[in-house]
Amino acid sequence: MLHINDLSYRVGGRLLFEGATAHVPAGHRVGLVGRNGSGKSTLLRLILGEVSPDAGTIAVRSRARLGRLAQEAPDGEHSALEFVLAADTERAALLAEAEVADDAHRIAEVHTRLADIDAHTAPSRAASILNGLGFDTDAQARTLRSFSGGWRMRVALAATLFAEPDLLLLDEPSNHLDLEANLWLEGYLRSYPRTLLLVSHDRDLLNNVATHILHLEERRLTLYVGGYDTFERTRRERLVRIAAMQSRQEAQRRHLQAFVDRFRYKASKARQAQSRLKMLARLQPIASVMEEATVTFRFPDPQPLPPPLIVLEGAAASYDGAPPVLDRLDLRIDMDDRIALLGANGNGKSTFAKLLSGRLKPSKGSLRQSSKMVVGYFAQHQMDELNPKATAFRHLQELMPEANEAKIRARLGQFGFSQSKADVSVTDLSGGEKARLLFALMSHAAPHLMILDEPTNHLDVDAREALLQAINDYAGAVILISHDRHLIEATADRLWLVEGGRVQPFDGDLDDYRRLLLDRRREADGRNGRTEAERANASRKDTRRAAANARAELAPHRRALQKAEAEIEKLGREKAALEAKLAEPAIYAGPKDELAKLLKRQGEFDARLAEAERRWLKAQEALDAATTGSPARPSTGSG
């Protein structure tokens, strides 16, 4: 489906890719991972053709449909459902043509094609996707303009999923989702029938969706089989092997050099010394895999306070005299509490956070807290409140006017800011760096309670792990609002469900909560989906029969394509094993005939791979031609 060959690309003088190569076969679900700023989003733009590489090629299967989540939230007077349905441009065009066509033959063709693409079930499928992302029936009928930016981005995601492109490119799709919608998205992507390239820092999403991990590091791409945990383990083992190979090679180099130094001027050993010199020259250094510096977090420990920190009794929260968003709140928070809030967006989690942080006063009942308690509040919108022209140092200095420069820089260093990075203006900081600055600002006064509202949205996987460790090491209380299950499971010891205007302890873990959501969804589908299914059943048999005939005609082409792909993967594995053998220092100290045979086999593998890729391209073009009814173009290369 996707071939990236010897790709190089530079942005503003900085080299993002250098000789990067990767192959993604059709049907694979691939997680693209790498540090923030390494070039993941740029790679998606290169694949889409929005920018051109400086060198190398990117080839996508001929006539494949590409889809990417829009970068800007959609707007307008269309309803959410209408916008999603419009994403299937072929269906929309056929329906428009059916309204005006007057040629009987063409009308029949249009209706046959509409049946082929299941056009009659499109409203039901679109509504199902929207419902999974948190839009009930009433919300689906509302105009886009009536939603906030985050909810409009959900509509854009629904439209991208509904279009079902052959190659789906998703860049952090869970950033605008709550835990409930994220769980639904995971299930949807796990059964996505085409090819998926997913940029995400969500460990659980990558583990449960991806069949492969494509790692971007040191300007190169490496494809690993399995989810994120498997990738981490495999990469760690690879680093250990490389270190061992380097150690063995260095020992061999020292041994050869010692022989040369000892005997190069002794007549009886001169020939052997010259031979060792040639071996040294042939001993190519094993490339190191650089371990990138990891980010660290450390929240300052607060001064102990007697329990409880906060007590709510019969409290309610509302805005400007409106009916309460939350009511009958009877809760207690202590210093050692780690509480994660569950519940769909719009149920009042942020309202509860504002109530605890003092940004919102109870409209009735009472909220009692220690007079000495300090609360730290982290929310994504605070990024917009940073002074874009000021540096990280300047921001923290304003909050710590009595502290000297060394203390301020030391505090920034606890959140991964080196001395030079602390003097960079906010405008030039990445999203992850801005988030780390907010953590430093939020915790500067050693709060007794930290309220973290979606703290991981702009952090890469390693930074999320650092945050996890920092929360576990922190001595105060934590209220966590997050869609990151890995973070919740590793840090929270209590779950509170925000639902129906109440905040109550949830008796169970995240697996129990997932089962609860699935049960509710099945009940809703049972109530709402039966009538639609009965309406669709009549034409479904004809659609299945036509699809079966089409599959029979395409089967030989698909088999040829699968055979070529299998051969490419087999040859790739065998070539990788051969190259690993060639990387062993001992092979160069052994018989020359054996080395020559290995090098000859390496050349044969290159030739066989090129031929297999040529057959793959030819088979793919034949399949495309059979699918669309147009003649196949002659193959000119391996693609």
Side-chain angles (χ1 to χ4, degrees), residues 1-158:
M1 172 61 73
L2 172 66
H3 284 270
I4 301 171
N5 299 307
D6 203 24
L7 173 69
S8 293
Y9 184 71
R10 190 182 301 271
V11 175
R14 179 183 169 218
L15 197 59
L16 287 181
F17 301 96
E18 184 177 23
T21 297
H23 167 55
V24 177
H28 281 33
R29 299 189 301 275
V30 179
L32 176 59
V33 302
R35 288 292 179 85
N36 281 344
S38 60
K40 300 184 296 297
S41 297
T42 300
L43 182 59
L44 298 190
R45 296 185 64 207
L46 285 160
I47 293 170
L48 289 164
E50 295 176 358
V51 292
S52 300
D54 297 330
T57 60
I58 296 179
V60 180
R61 192 189 74 190
S62 176
R63 287 184 286 276
R65 295 178 302 116
L66 275 65
R68 183 188 184 184
L69 178 61
Q71 298 300 293
E72 295 183 2
D75 199 359
E77 297 301 326
H78 293 295
S79 71
L81 183 60
E82 289 170 342
F83 182 84
V84 172
L85 286 170
D88 187 343
T89 53
E90 182 184 13
R91 173 184 173 275
L94 288 169
L95 288 174
E97 185 177 356
E99 292 290 329
V100 298
D102 53 12
D103 178 78
H105 180 68
R106 179 56 187 160
I107 291 173
E109 287 180 339
V110 167
H111 284 281
T112 299
R113 182 57 184 162
L114 284 170
D116 288 343
I117 63 175
D118 260 357
H120 59 286
T121 65
S124 175
R125 287 185 282 116
S128 176
I129 293 172
L130 281 167
N131 183 259
L133 292 175
F135 296 86
D136 59 21
T137 304
D138 291 338
Q140 292 173 26
R142 285 171 50 189
T143 64
L144 294 174
R145 191 156 291 166
S146 67
F147 292 109
S148 67
W151 282 94
R152 281 185 281 144
M153 286 305 300
R154 291 197 193 198
V155 177
L157 175 59

Side-chain angles (χ1 to χ4, degrees), residues 498-524:
V498 184
E499 187 177 65
R502 303 291 304 280
V503 181
Q504 295 176 305
F506 179 76
D507 185 17
D509 57 16
L510 279 183
D511 289 334
D512 296 320
Y513 185 57
R514 181 191 182 99
R515 283 190 286 272
L516 173 66
L517 294 176
L518 291 174
D519 289 343
R520 289 178 178 177
R521 194 173 300 282
R522 277 193 290 268
E523 289 175 10

Side-chain angles (χ1 to χ4, degrees), residues 184-252:
W184 176 89
L185 178 66
E186 178 189 299
Y188 186 91
L189 294 180
R190 190 164 55 237
S191 59
Y192 190 70
R194 305 184 191 278
T195 308
L196 169 67
L197 187 58
L198 169 68
V199 177
S200 179
H201 297 303
D202 187 324
R203 181 186 289 264
D204 282 331
L205 188 64
L206 291 170
N207 274 328
N208 296 326
V209 169
T211 59
H212 295 72
I213 296 294
L214 186 60
H215 187 211
L216 173 53
E217 182 184 40
E218 294 291 308
R219 303 179 296 278
R220 300 295 181 93
L221 292 166
T222 306
L223 188 66
Y224 294 81
V225 176
Y228 188 84
D229 286 347
T230 303
F231 148 72
E232 264 200 340
R233 183 174 61 254
T234 305
R235 180 171 179 270
R236 189 162 51 246
E237 292 168 352
R238 174 171 167 252
L239 292 175
V240 170
R241 285 198 305 273
I242 289 175
M245 289 166 59
Q246 288 174 324
S247 180
R248 287 196 301 270
Q249 187 187 68
E250 187 57 34
Q252 183 184 12

